[in-house]
């Protein structure tokens, strides 16, 4: 999520903060914990998601080096996190308290603008994911997820795009809000048609245009059509 406006947010790192190290499989926070700060990731990857009432895990996006994780409500009473942040890779991050953040934003209008842009972009990403799921069902959820992954982790080659992010089919299913069995079936169909193939456990997209055509892609800006 390294876009120009994020450079304006680096001033937030001057606020008094705590640096912490988290191991893979641990949590920065869980749903229901007190939402008392934001996080900045120095290294590693963190999966932001939610557990449904029936126990399924849904992944909204992945945050990595240089990203802020801001799942709090500003300038209002303390609330609780409505999502969880699970560490995918050993992670070093800093935590900035809600009170200190609010004071900084209140005194610095230009910083506030940058922060609002970041929050707005994150909201648009989430809305676009749900739009694809609602309009195009399970197939649309998978295809749009693959498209977003090519924008976030794609390595362009002459014959297609390698998604340079190792994922199990269950992890991919979590992004789409569906079962692993359904994802297996849809992926096998794409393989049979030559739309994708596998390279060392990673997905190689041979025809990105096919995926876009199938979901009537609106060609959203790159900062929206991403998984990170």
């Amino acid at each position: 999520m390294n876009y120009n406006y994020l450079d304006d947010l680096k001033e937030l790192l001057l606020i008094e903060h705590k640096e912490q190290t988290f191991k893979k499989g641990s949590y920065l926070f869980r749903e229901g914990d007190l939402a008392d700060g934001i996080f900045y990731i120095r290294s590693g990857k963190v999966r932001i998601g939610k557990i449904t009432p029936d126990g399924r895990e849904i992944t909204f996006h992945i945050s990595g080096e240089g990203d802020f994780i801001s799942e709090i409500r500003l300038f209002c009473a303390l609330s609780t996190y409505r999502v969880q942040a699970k560490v995918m890779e050993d992670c070093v991050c800093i935590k900035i308290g809600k009170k200190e953040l609010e004071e900084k934003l209140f005194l610095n209008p230009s910083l506030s603008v940058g922060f609002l842009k970041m929050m707005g972009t994150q909201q648009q990403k989430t809305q676009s994911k749900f739009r694809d799921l609602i309009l195009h069902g399970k197939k649309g959820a998978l295809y749009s997820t693959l498209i977003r992954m090519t924008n976030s982790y794609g390595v362009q080659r002459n014959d297609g795009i390698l998604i340079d992010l190792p994922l199990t089919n269950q992890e991919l299913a979590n992004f789409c809000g569906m079962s692993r069995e359904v994802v297996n079936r849809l992926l096998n169909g794409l393989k049979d048609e030559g739309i994708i193939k596998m390279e060392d456990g990673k997905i190689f997209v041979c025809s990105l245009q096919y995926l876009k055509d199938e979901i009537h892609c609106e060609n959203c800006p790159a900062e929206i059509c991403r998984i990170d």
Side-chain angles (χ1 to χ4, degrees):
M1 200 168 62
N2 296 316
Y3 305 115
N4 292 334
Y5 68 80
L6 286 184
D7 293 336
D8 300 332
L9 298 181
K10 294 299 176 67
E11 190 174 339
L12 293 178
L13 304 182
L14 301 178
I15 301 175
E16 182 179 352
H17 57 261
K18 297 179 180 178
E19 183 167 300
Q20 300 171 277
T21 299
F22 295 85
K23 293 294 186 181
K24 178 179 179 180
S26 63
Y27 293 82
L28 272 60
F29 54 82
R30 293 177 181 266
E31 188 173 357
D33 289 348
L34 192 65
D36 58 353
I38 68 170
F39 294 83
Y40 174 79
I41 302 177
R42 292 197 183 279
S43 64
K45 286 186 174 64
V46 178
R47 182 168 59 237
I48 310 300
K50 190 177 182 70
I51 302 296
T52 65
D54 61 359
R56 291 186 299 113
E57 184 176 358
I58 299 178
T59 300
F60 296 140
H61 60 89
I62 295 174
S63 295
E65 181 179 345
D67 286 343
F68 286 93
I69 299 175
S70 179
E71 299 289 343
I72 63 174
R73 297 171 59 200
L74 294 174
F75 301 106
C76 60
L78 277 173
S79 58
T80 57
Y81 288 112
R82 300 173 66 182
V83 294
Q84 64 180 21
K86 187 174 183 179
V87 178
M88 298 177 64
E89 300 174 356
D90 289 355
C91 176
V92 177
C93 65
I94 68 172
K95 182 178 180 180
I96 301 170
K98 179 177 181 290
K99 179 180 178 181
E100 291 76 15
L101 172 64
E102 290 173 339
E103 290 175 352
K104 187 71 171 179
L105 295 177
F106 183 78
L107 296 172
N108 191 327
S110 63
L111 189 61
S112 297
V113 170
F115 196 84
L116 287 172
K117 287 181 180 179
M118 178 186 70
M119 297 289 286
T121 298
Q122 290 178 344
Q123 184 181 39
Q124 283 184 293
K125 288 179 183 179
T126 301
Q127 288 176 342
S128 66
K129 283 189 65 176
F130 285 125
R131 176 201 65 201
D132 291 337
L133 178 58
I134 292 171
L135 292 180
H136 304 293
K138 295 177 180 179
K139 184 177 74 171
L142 175 62
Y143 290 10
S144 65
T145 295
L146 292 175
I147 293 169
R148 288 182 171 85
M149 286 183 170
T150 62
N151 289 330
S152 295
Y153 301 103
V155 177
Q156 186 70 52
R157 296 184 182 173
N158 291 334
D159 55 343
I161 303 174
L162 174 69
I163 298 176
D164 193 18
L165 180 70
L167 285 172
T168 66
N169 284 5
Q170 182 60 63
E171 289 172 329
L172 186 57
N174 292 344
F175 276 105
C176 306
M178 65 181 77
S179 69
R180 179 174 56 83
E181 291 75 17
V182 172
V183 167
N184 288 345
R185 177 172 55 80
L186 291 173
L187 287 177
N188 286 334
L190 290 174
K191 292 175 189 175
D192 292 342
E193 294 182 49
I195 307 302
I196 67 169
K197 61 182 179 180
M198 302 301 296
E199 285 192 7
D200 299 323
K202 299 176 182 178
I203 297 175
F204 187 93
V205 178
C206 305
S207 178
L208 181 62
Q209 192 59 49
Y210 174 90
L211 300 177
K212 290 184 174 183
D213 290 343
E214 285 293 298
I215 64 169
H216 308 291
C217 178
E218 298 178 0
N219 292 312
C220 299
E223 63 266 26
I224 302 301
C225 188
R226 300 177 68 88
I227 211 71
D228 55 358

